[in-house]
Amino acid sequence: MATKDECARALDRLAVKLGGLGDGDRAKHQLERTVSCRIPDLDVTFHGTLKDARLLDVTSYDDGAAAPQAQIRLVIPSDELLKLVDGNLNFVSAWTAGRIKVNASFGDLLKLRKIF
């Protein structure tokens, strides 16, 4: 099981990866949504905003503290989050196998697939 700090650093790496997209690629991912990422094995939820293929204003909510409601909600074990961010886990395969739970509109799901 990964730690909360490892998960936070993974989300930071994801933010850097998304922030490094060129303007052409960024234009393909026009999406502004609030996002929460619940890590059940650590009892923590990270909440932030996905805007123009950038992950912004990420805050953590520990020990079951209620995070704000998000438009896109992910539930993913800590180890799976690290694998996903590092490119060792395919988003679609993990989602269809039930390793990741996603609550989002179909359109948002398609855009998430392209980002990851």
Side-chain angles (χ1 to χ4, degrees), residues 53-74:
R54 289 186 172 103
L55 189 57
L56 309 168
D57 305 322
V58 176
T59 305
S60 66
Y61 296 84
D62 295 321
D63 302 322
Q69 186 74 337
Q71 295 164 307
I72 297 172
R73 294 179 298 282
L74 304 166

Side-chain angles (χ1 to χ4, degrees), residues 75-93:
V75 178
I76 181 170
S78 59
D79 289 337
E80 303 296 324
L81 174 64
L82 299 182
K83 290 176 189 174
L84 180 68
V85 171
D86 291 337
N88 298 320
L89 179 66
N90 178 279
F91 178 79
V92 174
S93 296

Side-chain angles (χ1 to χ4, degrees), residues 13-88:
R13 287 193 308 276
L14 177 61
V16 167
K17 184 168 120 177
L18 294 175
L21 290 175
D23 290 337
D25 288 332
R26 189 175 311 290
K28 295 177 192 174
H29 302 295
Q30 294 296 318
L31 180 68
E32 184 172 348
R33 300 285 188 271
T34 55
V35 179
S36 68
C37 182
R38 174 98 180 107
I39 314 295
D41 53 315
L42 298 176
D43 198 22
V44 64
T45 300
F46 294 93
H47 183 275
T49 302
L50 184 62
K51 181 177 180 179
D52 299 331
R54 289 186 172 103
L55 189 57
L56 309 168
D57 305 322
V58 176
T59 305
S60 66
Y61 296 84
D62 295 321
D63 302 322
Q69 186 74 337
Q71 295 164 307
I72 297 172
R73 294 179 298 282
L74 304 166
V75 178
I76 181 170
S78 59
D79 289 337
E80 303 296 324
L81 174 64
L82 299 182
K83 290 176 189 174
L84 180 68
V85 171
D86 291 337
N88 298 320

